[in-house]
Amino acid sequence: MSNAKHHNGLKPWQNKMHEVIFEAETKAGKLFDIVLLIVIVISIVVVMLESVPSLSRNYGSELFVLEWIITIVFSLEYIARILCVGNPMKYIFSFYGVVDFLSIIPTYIGIFVTGTHSLSVIRSLRLLRIFRILKLSQFLGEANLLIRSLKASRAKIIVFLVFVLSLTFILGSLMYIVESPEAGFTSIPRSVYWAIVTLTTVGYGDIKPDTDLGQFIASIIMLTGYAIIAVPTGIISAEIARNDNQHKPSTQVCPNCSQEGHEHDAVFCKYCGGKL
Amino acid sequence: MSNAKHHNGLKPWQNKMHEVIFEAETKAGKLFDIVLLIVIVISIVVVMLESVPSLSRNYGSELFVLEWIITIVFSLEYIARILCVGNPMKYIFSFYGVVDFLSIIPTYIGIFVTGTHSLSVIRSLRLLRIFRILKLSQFLGEANLLIRSLKASRAKIIVFLVFVLSLTFILGSLMYIVESPEAGFTSIPRSVYWAIVTLTTVGYGDIKPDTDLGQFIASIIMLTGYAIIAVPTGIISAEIARNDNQHKPSTQVCPNCSQEGHEHDAVFCKYCGGKL
Amino acid sequence: MSNAKHHNGLKPWQNKMHEVIFEAETKAGKLFDIVLLIVIVISIVVVMLESVPSLSRNYGSELFVLEWIITIVFSLEYIARILCVGNPMKYIFSFYGVVDFLSIIPTYIGIFVTGTHSLSVIRSLRLLRIFRILKLSQFLGEANLLIRSLKASRAKIIVFLVFVLSLTFILGSLMYIVESPEAGFTSIPRSVYWAIVTLTTVGYGDIKPDTDLGQFIASIIMLTGYAIIAVPTGIISAEIARNDNQHKPSTQVCPNCSQEGHEHDAVFCKYCGGKL
Amino acid sequence: MSNAKHHNGLKPWQNKMHEVIFEAETKAGKLFDIVLLIVIVISIVVVMLESVPSLSRNYGSELFVLEWIITIVFSLEYIARILCVGNPMKYIFSFYGVVDFLSIIPTYIGIFVTGTHSLSVIRSLRLLRIFRILKLSQFLGEANLLIRSLKASRAKIIVFLVFVLSLTFILGSLMYIVESPEAGFTSIPRSVYWAIVTLTTVGYGDIKPDTDLGQFIASIIMLTGYAIIAVPTGIISAEIARNDNQHKPSTQVCPNCSQEGHEHDAVFCKYCGGKL
């Protein structure tokens, strides 16, 4: 199968390498993905540990060495990816190409510039590379189903979010009048922030109503937030139930026109009219 | 199409204007809606920024000028709307007519009266004008579906809310006996407020049980709140699944055996094999 | 219709009264229910206001008079209910009979005993009388549907709650070892309380992990709580979707055996085999 | 029935005992399970009460005696289980065998070693034994349905969790740059912890954004968390609806036309009218 789809204009070693690095159909390709996955997770752990003051003080040099090993591994991988694609520019400016570049560049810049606190955090984007594992067959279908369901219900979700944001804005403005700045309602943006914290049932408790009227309005916001969470849930549930491949009775194939997708109670093929 | 539906008793320029301002079927109508949408968002941002003490101190005059520009734009639009409808009174006292009026009047009153803190917040209602964008075709169907689903499950949701409010009242009263005023349970209304905060899983933490019995009752309220959120969700999910047009089989009827219930992609009747 | 169902052994005036007080089919019966609903709501508001220290100090006597008027109205209603039922004992010891009695007795006891703080809160049970309005036809079906759905999924919900409680107990015990008493984890019951507060996403913030390991375990509890809320929701959703009368194609009646409940695509009656 | 399935190589008394201890089909077996359930619950309560400082100080000796009674009961049960299974090693190293062993050993170790605070908490694992009651017939089907639904949607839930964890990591890193250590964002792990607390809508309030930009990003996380909870719910709902046995048509096949998909209450085939 892998022999059948030669990439035009690529040399055999490039094809071979492309198969290992970019695909997950062969054994070597799967192994490469799993090794990469492990390195990504380690690199993320290193980024996290470096940010902990006590650890970076005591194990700074160990983490520094580990960071450079990971950066060199990622750099080699980046070069290999460029070498084995037919159109390097297309890869470099693709989403994953940019992520791959941002994963390695902060460490190199760190040589010349010191105190690159914010810069080193960019390496967190390495995590995005993890989504490459979705190529692994058992997750591909599931991820596609979820993405398809979210896409199909996009318009409904926008309508819902516009409604929720309007509600938080109007109720936040109302609370700005009702409550005093002492309770934390110092401006409309802050009151809207409070309304979002309350409606989404997060409830930090740093800003909270003190007056009776304020608590009454807050109760209404809470009950509203508690009840309307049903709306996105209902939207996505209905969408997933519809999109779910397993739900469709797709095993029946028309013996006449070979088309699938017939319902359970179908007697005749709905495409060609042949008896099933 | 737009030629076909002349508004009775309206002059051609009124018809033209009505099409642009009130409808979204023509290119000019869509453009008008999008421009209006942007102005509304800017006006909302201005209202928010004005309420921030530090900003209103430093950029007070800039925000004042911006506010007046927006008010004049909205005023012109308001006059235009009155001019191009057949029955101005009906528009003025309609929901959107009142909202349009309340969007502009606080700025004018501000000339004569000073210290109109609360009054200026009324301008927040400008946000409601945003729902006019729902006219845009891709959202209309979705919004209708959501509203239809909520309307259809109205009676169920009222029953559920009566149950939830009764629960919070009775458990709040119980906590008023069990817990001391020191823990924040100073009166039944405040205890009920706490029960709502807890049941909806908001959990500010300003009022919280201190005694063992109180924490035990609180645990029951939390688990109840955690479990019964399933009820509105189930109601709305079932409703959306039923109302969703795409989920319904097409309205096609087999010309041969007159049976319905065919899928949208069906070419032949699944019951008799006749061509649809 | 109301003539057809005479209650055995009851005099005509008793039947008439029973119709008004216990039923909601006649105009008078509906009116009675609505008036009662209003009185119940007022009585609840009085109970709430009495518990507010500042109000009970200033308006104590007004609230006292109002309370006695309500008590006398409820007492008369209670006597009327006893008079017009065939078997008074059965009513008195029924759920609503006990609630009706508990609604009025605390006020009478208050004459002889003073400082009946806890006792007066029993009057909160008046709220339960509100569920009598469910007799009103538009809510009856909806309430039945919800109760039927909850009953049908009772066994599933018990299994789920046993699982959730076990999880909170084991994770609470674990946190009791990991975290110090200073962070609030003073005993296993308190740690379990914290686990419930966290799993249900309430999150008061009075007890919270301080150590890294504790925060890691807490993160797992939160994500678990966030994910498994899907389980009761899924249970109830599936149940409501199945139980929903409108979902069932119950309008078709077999012309042969007059039975309902046929599916949309049924050609023959599934009970008697007659053609539909 | 119990006579029919003799365990190979087991003596009659072993078979008898196995039936009582491991099964729940006979009356004695059910009684044994219920008694065991009560003892487990008591033992859990004892573990909890022992951890409360005030109780363990005042009632230490009573709890000590109770603990030893429970341990001896559990020990006898453990020995009985080993005696009546054909392959004791298989039971001892099975999940429940290990749990049974860990339920009793901490008390025995406590004789020789003092101050075994952490060790005694291991007894919390006794709670896991409670899942044996799932053998009781009315719960078995429901538990299986829930487990089957969760297993079937495992891949989808992993994809969802990878997405959620990536989101919390990237937003947590972002907040680490935006917010100061004073607000609690002292390191990336702590910021990620905050992101999880916020996304899952727990919201302790110990770490919370103070800057405008931080509160803006926090609002986005909250709204995201509020909206995407719909995803696991939708997954599980669709799965439960599909797996629910009662929902599925019966497995009956029409003897006349061989068609399936009949409801459980069907007497005649809905397609051809033949008797089922």
Side-chain angles (χ1 to χ4, degrees):
Chain A
M1 190 189 183
S2 56
N3 273 332
K5 45 166 178 174
H6 268 282
H7 299 273
N8 290 334
L10 288 182
K11 284 167 199 143
W13 66 265
Q14 283 182 313
N15 267 326
K16 185 100 207 176
M17 216 161 131
H18 190 278
E19 223 171 85
V20 172
I21 298 180
F22 280 93
E23 289 163 44
E25 275 159 31
T26 58
K27 225 177 169 177
K30 261 186 191 162
L31 187 73
F32 180 85
D33 279 357
I34 288 162
V35 169
L36 191 63
L37 180 62
I38 293 164
V39 178
I40 292 169
V41 169
I42 292 171
S43 77
I44 290 299
V45 170
V46 169
V47 171
M48 289 179 86
L49 296 182
E50 264 181 26
S51 78
V52 182
S54 64
L55 289 174
S56 93
R57 220 178 298 117
N58 297 326
Y59 303 96
S61 52
E62 286 89 339
L63 288 169
F64 183 80
V65 171
L66 208 54
E67 176 55 39
W68 270 105
I69 293 171
I70 291 161
T71 302
I72 288 163
V73 169
F74 282 175
S75 303
L76 291 174
E77 186 217 344
Y78 185 60
I79 293 163
R81 283 185 189 269
I82 290 174
L83 284 180
C84 75
V85 288
N87 187 346
M89 278 304 133
K90 211 182 144 191
Y91 160 69
I92 287 167
F93 293 105
S94 72
F95 174 71
Y96 278 123
V98 171
V99 166
D100 289 349
F101 183 74
L102 291 174
S103 298
I104 51 173
I105 200 69
T107 318
Y108 291 112
I109 292 178
I111 307 173
F112 311 105
V113 192
T114 51
T116 52
H117 173 69
S118 311
L119 202 68
S120 73
V121 175
I122 291 175
R123 289 174 301 155
S124 297
L125 292 175
R126 280 171 186 170
L127 194 76
L128 291 176
R129 311 181 83 219
I130 230 165
F131 288 103
R132 280 205 171 110
I133 62 154
L134 293 181
K135 271 185 310 186
L136 294 171
S137 53
Q138 70 261 43
F139 296 114
L140 195 59
E142 309 298 352
N144 278 347
L145 171 60
L146 291 183
I147 292 164
R148 214 164 54 232
S149 297
L150 285 173
K151 266 192 188 157
S153 41
R154 198 177 31 194
K156 280 195 208 78
I157 287 172
I158 289 172
V159 168
F160 176 71
L161 274 182
V162 166
F163 172 74
V164 164
L165 284 174
S166 305
L167 200 71
T168 54
F169 183 77
I170 288 175
L171 288 173
S173 302
L174 189 62
M175 286 301 274
Y176 173 61
I177 306 174
V178 169
E179 287 284 332
S180 64
E182 283 75 39
F185 298 84
T186 52
S187 66
I188 292 183
R190 194 127 309 190
S191 297
V192 171
Y193 169 71
W194 168 84
I196 292 173
V197 169
T198 301
L199 191 90
T200 58
T201 78
V202 171
Y204 282 136
D206 51 342
I207 311 170
K208 57 187 181 294
D210 280 340
T211 65
D212 292 332
L213 183 57
Q215 294 191 343
F216 181 73
I217 298 168
S219 297
I220 290 168
I221 300 178
M222 285 171 215
L223 288 170
T224 308
Y226 185 67
I228 63 174
I229 192 149
V231 174
T233 306
I235 293 166
I236 303 281
S237 293
E239 207 58 57
I240 287 177
R242 177 163 52 241
N243 273 319
D244 207 326
N245 290 315
Q246 294 160 265
H247 203 196
K248 281 180 192 162
S250 58
T251 50
Q252 223 182 358
V253 180
C254 174
N256 195 23
C257 70
S258 301
Q259 272 188 292
E260 296 182 11
H262 305 291
E263 283 182 282
H264 268 129
D265 54 356
V267 180
F268 292 92
C269 173
K270 62 183 176 177
Y271 297 105
C272 71
K275 219 177 177 326
L276 289 174
Chain B
M1 190 185 182
S2 57
N3 273 332
K5 45 167 178 172
H6 268 282
H7 300 273
N8 290 334
L10 288 183
K11 281 167 201 145
W13 66 266
Q14 284 181 314
N15 267 326
K16 186 98 206 174
M17 215 161 135
H18 190 276
E19 222 170 85
V20 172
I21 299 180
F22 281 92
E23 289 162 44
E25 274 158 32
T26 57
K27 226 177 169 176
K30 261 187 192 161
L31 187 72
F32 180 85
D33 280 356
I34 289 162
V35 168
L36 190 62
L37 180 62
I38 293 164
V39 178
I40 292 169
V41 169
I42 292 171
S43 77
I44 290 299
V45 170
V46 169
V47 172
M48 288 179 87
L49 297 182
E50 264 181 26
S51 78
V52 182
S54 64
L55 289 176
S56 93
R57 219 178 299 115
N58 298 325
Y59 303 96
S61 52
E62 286 89 340
L63 288 170
F64 182 80
V65 171
L66 207 53
E67 176 55 40
W68 269 105
I69 294 171
I70 292 161
T71 302
I72 289 163
V73 168
F74 282 175
S75 303
L76 291 176
E77 185 217 345
Y78 184 60
I79 293 163
R81 282 185 190 270
I82 290 174
L83 283 180
C84 75
V85 287
N87 187 345
M89 278 303 132
K90 211 181 147 192
Y91 160 70
I92 289 168
F93 293 105
S94 71
F95 174 71
Y96 278 123
V98 171
V99 166
D100 289 349
F101 182 74
L102 290 175
S103 299
I104 51 173
I105 200 69
T107 318
Y108 291 111
I109 292 178
I111 306 173
F112 311 104
V113 191
T114 52
T116 53
H117 174 69
S118 311
L119 202 69
S120 72
V121 175
I122 291 175
R123 288 174 301 154
S124 297
L125 292 174
R126 279 172 187 172
L127 194 76
L128 291 176
R129 312 181 83 219
I130 230 165
F131 288 103
R132 281 208 170 107
I133 63 153
L134 292 179
K135 271 186 308 186
L136 295 171
S137 54
Q138 70 261 43
F139 296 114
L140 195 58
E142 308 297 353
N144 277 347
L145 171 60
L146 292 183
I147 292 164
R148 213 162 54 231
S149 297
L150 286 172
K151 266 193 188 156
S153 41
R154 197 178 31 194
K156 281 197 208 77
I157 288 172
I158 289 172
V159 168
F160 175 72
L161 274 182
V162 167
F163 173 74
V164 164
L165 285 175
S166 305
L167 200 71
T168 55
F169 182 76
I170 287 174
L171 289 173
S173 302
L174 189 62
M175 288 300 274
Y176 172 61
I177 307 174
V178 168
E179 287 284 331
S180 64
E182 283 75 39
F185 298 84
T186 51
S187 67
I188 292 184
R190 195 129 305 193
S191 297
V192 171
Y193 169 70
W194 168 84
I196 292 173
V197 169
T198 300
L199 190 91
T200 56
T201 78
V202 171
Y204 283 136
D206 51 343
I207 310 171
K208 56 188 180 296
D210 280 340
T211 64
D212 292 331
L213 183 57
Q215 293 190 345
F216 181 73
I217 297 169
S219 297
I220 290 168
I221 300 178
M222 285 171 214
L223 287 170
T224 307
Y226 185 67
I228 62 173
I229 190 147
V231 174
T233 307
I235 293 167
I236 303 282
S237 294
E239 207 58 57
I240 287 177
R242 178 163 50 241
N243 273 319
D244 208 324
N245 290 315
Q246 294 161 265
H247 202 199
K248 278 183 192 162
S250 74
T251 51
Q252 263 183 318
V253 181
C254 174
N256 195 22
C257 69
S258 300
Q259 274 189 292
E260 296 184 11
H262 306 291
E263 283 182 284
H264 285 276
D265 56 356
V267 180
F268 290 91
C269 173
K270 64 182 177 179
Y271 297 104
C272 71
K275 215 175 180 328
L276 288 176
Chain C
M1 189 185 180
S2 56
N3 273 332
K5 45 167 178 173
H6 267 283
H7 300 273
N8 291 332
L10 288 182
K11 282 167 199 142
W13 66 267
Q14 283 182 315
N15 268 326
K16 186 98 205 176
M17 214 160 135
H18 189 277
E19 223 171 85
V20 172
I21 299 181
F22 281 93
E23 289 162 43
E25 274 157 34
T26 56
K27 224 175 170 180
K30 261 186 192 162
L31 186 72
F32 180 85
D33 281 355
I34 289 162
V35 169
L36 191 61
L37 180 62
I38 294 164
V39 178
I40 292 168
V41 169
I42 292 171
S43 77
I44 292 299
V45 170
V46 170
V47 171
M48 289 178 87
L49 297 182
E50 264 180 27
S51 78
V52 182
S54 63
L55 289 176
S56 93
R57 219 178 300 116
N58 297 326
Y59 303 95
S61 52
E62 285 89 340
L63 288 170
F64 182 80
V65 170
L66 207 53
E67 176 55 40
W68 269 105
I69 292 170
I70 291 161
T71 302
I72 288 162
V73 168
F74 281 175
S75 303
L76 291 176
E77 184 217 346
Y78 184 60
I79 292 164
R81 282 184 191 270
I82 290 175
L83 284 180
C84 73
V85 287
N87 188 345
M89 277 303 132
K90 213 182 145 192
Y91 160 70
I92 288 168
F93 293 105
S94 72
F95 175 71
Y96 278 123
V98 171
V99 166
D100 288 349
F101 182 74
L102 290 174
S103 298
I104 50 173
I105 200 69
T107 317
Y108 291 112
I109 293 179
I111 306 174
F112 311 105
V113 192
T114 52
T116 52
H117 174 69
S118 312
L119 201 70
S120 73
V121 174
I122 291 175
R123 288 175 299 154
S124 297
L125 292 174
R126 280 173 186 170
L127 195 75
L128 291 176
R129 313 182 82 220
I130 230 164
F131 287 103
R132 281 206 169 109
I133 61 151
L134 292 180
K135 271 185 310 185
L136 295 171
S137 54
Q138 69 260 45
F139 296 114
L140 194 59
E142 309 296 353
N144 277 348
L145 171 59
L146 292 183
I147 291 165
R148 214 162 55 231
S149 297
L150 286 172
K151 265 193 188 156
S153 41
R154 196 178 32 192
K156 282 197 208 76
I157 287 173
I158 289 172
V159 168
F160 175 72
L161 273 182
V162 167
F163 173 74
V164 164
L165 284 174
S166 305
L167 200 71
T168 54
F169 182 77
I170 288 174
L171 290 172
S173 302
L174 189 62
M175 288 300 275
Y176 173 61
I177 307 174
V178 168
E179 286 284 332
S180 64
E182 283 75 39
F185 298 83
T186 52
S187 66
I188 292 184
R190 195 129 306 191
S191 298
V192 171
Y193 169 70
W194 168 84
I196 292 173
V197 169
T198 301
L199 191 92
T200 57
T201 78
V202 172
Y204 283 135
D206 50 343
I207 311 171
K208 56 186 181 295
D210 280 340
T211 65
D212 291 332
L213 183 55
Q215 294 190 344
F216 181 73
I217 297 169
S219 298
I220 291 168
I221 300 178
M222 285 170 214
L223 287 170
T224 307
Y226 185 67
I228 63 172
I229 190 148
V231 174
T233 307
I235 293 167
I236 304 280
S237 294
E239 206 59 56
I240 287 177
R242 176 162 53 241
N243 273 319
D244 208 324
N245 290 316
Q246 292 161 266
H247 204 197
K248 280 182 193 163
S250 59
T251 50
Q252 223 181 359
V253 181
C254 174
N256 195 21
C257 68
S258 301
Q259 273 189 291
E260 296 183 11
H262 305 291
E263 283 183 281
H264 268 128
D265 53 358
V267 180
F268 291 92
C269 173
K270 63 184 176 178
Y271 298 105
C272 71
K275 218 174 181 325
L276 289 175
Chain D
M1 191 186 181
S2 56
N3 274 332
K5 45 167 177 172
H6 268 282
H7 300 274
N8 291 334
L10 287 182
K11 283 166 199 145
W13 66 266
Q14 283 183 313
N15 267 326
K16 187 97 207 181
M17 215 161 131
H18 190 276
E19 223 171 83
V20 172
I21 299 181
F22 281 92
E23 289 161 45
E25 273 157 34
T26 57
K27 223 175 171 181
K30 261 186 191 163
L31 187 72
F32 180 85
D33 281 357
I34 288 162
V35 169
L36 191 61
L37 179 62
I38 293 164
V39 178
I40 292 168
V41 169
I42 292 171
S43 77
I44 291 300
V45 170
V46 169
V47 171
M48 289 179 86
L49 296 182
E50 263 182 26
S51 78
V52 181
S54 63
L55 289 175
S56 93
R57 220 178 299 116
N58 297 325
Y59 303 95
S61 51
E62 285 90 339
L63 289 170
F64 182 80
V65 170
L66 208 53
E67 175 56 39
W68 269 104
I69 293 171
I70 291 161
T71 302
I72 289 164
V73 169
F74 282 175
S75 304
L76 291 175
E77 185 217 346
Y78 184 61
I79 293 165
R81 282 184 191 271
I82 290 175
L83 284 180
C84 74
V85 288
N87 188 344
M89 277 304 132
K90 213 183 142 191
Y91 160 69
I92 288 168
F93 293 104
S94 71
F95 175 70
Y96 278 123
V98 171
V99 165
D100 289 349
F101 183 74
L102 290 174
S103 298
I104 52 173
I105 200 69
T107 318
Y108 291 112
I109 293 177
I111 307 174
F112 312 105
V113 192
T114 52
T116 52
H117 173 70
S118 312
L119 202 69
S120 72
V121 175
I122 291 174
R123 289 175 300 154
S124 297
L125 292 174
R126 279 172 187 170
L127 195 75
L128 290 176
R129 314 181 81 219
I130 229 165
F131 288 103
R132 281 204 169 110
I133 61 151
L134 292 180
K135 273 184 310 186
L136 295 171
S137 53
Q138 70 262 44
F139 297 115
L140 195 58
E142 310 296 353
N144 277 347
L145 171 60
L146 292 183
I147 292 164
R148 215 162 55 233
S149 297
L150 286 172
K151 267 191 186 157
S153 42
R154 197 177 32 193
K156 280 196 208 79
I157 287 172
I158 289 172
V159 168
F160 176 72
L161 274 182
V162 167
F163 172 74
V164 164
L165 284 174
S166 305
L167 200 71
T168 54
F169 182 76
I170 288 174
L171 290 172
S173 302
L174 188 62
M175 287 300 274
Y176 173 61
I177 306 173
V178 168
E179 286 284 332
S180 64
E182 284 76 39
F185 297 84
T186 52
S187 66
I188 292 184
R190 195 129 306 192
S191 298
V192 171
Y193 169 71
W194 169 84
I196 292 173
V197 169
T198 301
L199 191 90
T200 58
T201 77
V202 171
Y204 283 136
D206 51 342
I207 311 171
K208 56 187 180 293
D210 279 340
T211 65
D212 292 333
L213 183 56
Q215 295 191 342
F216 182 73
I217 297 169
S219 297
I220 291 168
I221 300 178
M222 285 171 216
L223 287 170
T224 307
Y226 185 67
I228 63 172
I229 192 150
V231 175
T233 306
I235 293 167
I236 304 280
S237 293
E239 207 58 57
I240 287 177
R242 177 160 56 240
N243 272 318
D244 208 325
N245 290 315
Q246 295 161 266
H247 203 198
K248 277 183 191 161
S250 74
T251 52
Q252 264 184 318
V253 181
C254 175
N256 194 23
C257 68
S258 301
Q259 274 189 293
E260 296 182 11
H262 306 292
E263 283 182 283
H264 285 274
D265 54 356
V267 180
F268 290 92
C269 174
K270 64 182 176 177
Y271 296 104
C272 72
K275 214 174 181 328
L276 289 175

